Amino acid sequence: MKKLKKIEKKIVFGALFCVFTGAVSFAQSESSLAFQMQNAYDSGFYPGVVLYADQILSSESKSVYEAKAMVFKGESLFKMGRIKDSLEILSAAEKSTKNSPELNSARCFWTGRGLFELNKNDAALPYFYKSAEILKNAGLEKKSVYSQAILYSGKTLVRLKKFETATECFEYVVQNGKNFSSGEYEETCVNFFENCVRAGNPKKCEEYFIQLEKLGQIEEIDFSQEAKYRILLAYGQALENLGKFSDCYDCYVKVLTEGPSSLAALAMQKAYLVSSAHQNQIKKDPAEVIEKAELLKKEKPELVSEFWTRLAIDAFNSKKYEKSLSYFKNAEKNNSVQLKQLALLYSAEINLLTSKEDLKTAAKNSLEIINSGWNECCFEKEKFYYSDAIAAKTRYFGLSEDWENSLKTAQSQVLNENSSAAKKTLVYWAALSEYSLKNYEGALNFLNSENYSDDEFLFLKARIFAKMGKSSDADSIFYALAKKGFLDNDGRLDYIRTLLNAGHLVSTVEQAENAHGSESDYMKALALFNQKNWPEAEKYFEKSISDKKFDSKYSNLAKFYLGYSQYQLGKYKHALENLESFVKNSGENALNFQALAIAAKCAAQIQNYPEAEKNARNALASSKNQEQKNESVLLLAGIYSDSKKYDEAIKLLKSYSSEKNSFGFECRYLMAQFFVQNKNFAQADRTYSELSEEKNAGLLAEESAFRRGELFYVNENYEKSAQLFESYLKKYQSGKFYPAALYFEADSLLKIGRTEKASLYFMEIVEKSENSSYKYDSEKKLIEIYRSQKKYSQALKIADKMLLEYGNQAEKDGVSSLKRELQALNSGADKEIFEKEQEYESAGGSKTKNGRKIGTELAKIYFEKPQQKKAENLAWELFDIQKNNCDEIELAGKNAVLLADILRSQNKNAESANMFLAAAEFGRKCGNSEIAERSLYGAAEAFDAAGKKADALSTARTLINLYPKSQYAADVQRIVNLKEN
């Protein structure tokens, strides 16, 4: 009390000072002003703080108290509600306060508070962070501003919905309660627990609550009832999020039964929802929650009734109809008119669903329930559920097959209806009533008035279309519904029958395989036929035909589809039988022509040409239009051709070939082809030539011009083919066959030796026909031409291009090998050596027997060229392998002779003689006398050159004794004679 009086005196003094300060002029020292500013600040007299601060700041010389004055003034202006002025002076103080952690921290804090009050939360948060950071870095965390900065950081973060970070700030407050007022601490504790849940950290909420319980603080803590139970409610939510449904339910019930009424409704809602959703864990009826809400029953009975109603609806949705009725009864006492109407409508529906009477009687009883409660529920005055009630009555009239009253009731409300759900019911039952009364136009008008796309509406519309004879419209809807699986068996069969009667047999029965009954197999077959599943279609058509109860008109039709399926499967004999049977028993049928045409093709496939001709002629006779007639003529001509009756095929076509239309031109073109097949090339050329001159023949004229060149090319008359292809190229520069004509023109020229012009055409294909199938072969031809002309560099460029563009294809085609050959030839390599080297490598080199055979030939070529070093290295490599293989002794002998000759040329005579002897031994073993003779002679001569006269004489005598008649024996006689002399 004394303190309060002291404050009042200061306020009075300060006020008097303000009055007289303008009149009295006196000078005070800065320290005195600073003292009085501090005194006013401590006493909470903020106008005085501002006054003294202004005097300090108005000094001409910079005051030592400037920073303090600016911060105190900023804080005081904030507390006086002058937020913008506060922010202005605090911003100006930034430079002055930078050397004082306390003042700088306070400046940041009050700047943050100002921005916080202005709801500029993104701008405020960094100032609170900075305020706390300054004090922490200076070791001044015990200052009150530090704690306040953390608290307001948390509050700001909540506004920014950054709940997880906010929780960390509030956790600091919870752990340091002594630094805060009781009100701040209470509010922050509540915020902490609630933010743990919001931040998705229910575990932390649980841990702190358990800690409070262990310390015995949860009951004793000096918080308001509101705060305590808000914490408990948050704890319950945390437990629910952790899946501890039984414990969370207990928390909600405790808030509901013991907490303040302001939280009871929310607690009841939470308890009800968790008990409804997790009955297996909680094992308590949600109704118990309402029964425990004693406080709510007294203070908000209408809310309790609302919850009973909600429980009743949930029970209804769970098909617990008896329980639903009992809950509606519990809600009656304090029910509003709105809820009474709702209860009546649900009661009527429950009667319909649970009645043991037939549907028609049950619907009448439900209608009576609504009528009996109509006045009491005030439907005419309080129209909460009036629309739903009219919709229900319309439906019940319909279900009881009272179509006239159903229609009348719907018409009374449908035009005035705003509720979408009620209007949908009214439109549907009005349309169904009109349909049942056979007013199909009226039924369709009702459906079209709103254009609903629900399946039941579409199904009704399809039925209406079917009754109105609009089969195509019915078809599209039925098909979509069947695909979705909406149709029951009767609906699907009704749909299929409608399609069959309309002739839409194949395109709309994909789901017919799900139907049951005598027609199901046939429907399955049609669906499979439409899906081109020929094996399964055949199976079910055969099954349907074998059923004696199957409708005969469909049975014969099934034979057509069976025959068609077998034709697609290549079962031509069976297909022919079924198709001919169909035609025989069908009478006049639109499918006869198609059946005969397919039958003709089947007979031709099994080479039963007489039967094929018969069916084709019958198809021609039964054709109903020019298109069918033309088709059958071409079919019969094709059968004649297949049976090699070219003259008859030509005779048939000739009667139509004079027609100056597309069919006549096609007949003429086929005649030319048949002339080719009959090897009457002159007549074929004349026919092609005539057709190529027809101005109206279009593509056939162009193709005929091309075929003329092709005809002579195939017959190897390249002079003529070159002339004709050249003519085509000039006439059809953008023609369909231009790339082909260009290639064959070039190849024809190449074959008659006009290489230069051929290469130009091949090059045109390569450069201009990027996607042409002839480009690859043209490039190969160019390589061949350039190689023959020894233009190896140009050939190499194309080979490189082919390898880059075609990759594996070119590799497999030998372009890589060709490139290596071209590289070698381009660098001046010997062609014979290169080709033999390629052959050697391709054969596997020295690793294979064939490779070693070719290598022996290559070594000899090296020696003869001469490339003696290569010859020597290769011969030694091969000899070392061959000498140990019995089946390669002859080759070893050849390489031994080669090596002996090389050694002799190197003047290594003794070594040469010994190698010759080895070669002679190999020659003797393999029976090759030529090698033996040649080697013995070479050995004798080498021994003689080495000065080994005795060895030379001995070897010479061996040669004479073994091969006395050989030329080598005669030649070696010189050595013997010399020795004897």
Side-chain angles (χ1 to χ4, degrees), residues 468-481:
M468 296 174 73
K470 297 182 177 182
S471 302
S472 180
D473 293 330
D475 172 8
S476 61
I477 299 173
F478 272 132
Y479 178 79
L481 292 174

Side-chain angles (χ1 to χ4, degrees), residues 44 63-64 131 136 148 180 271 298 310 381 399 403 472 606 651 664 673 711 796 903 980:
S63 172
V64 294
S131 175
K136 186 174 183 179
Q148 288 294 311
F180 301 90
K298 293 176 183 177
R310 186 182 295 182
K381 286 185 178 180
L399 291 172
W403 300 113
S472 180
I606 58 176
K651 182 180 177 182
Q673 290 193 316
L711 183 62
L796 265 173
L903 290 168
E980 288 177 348

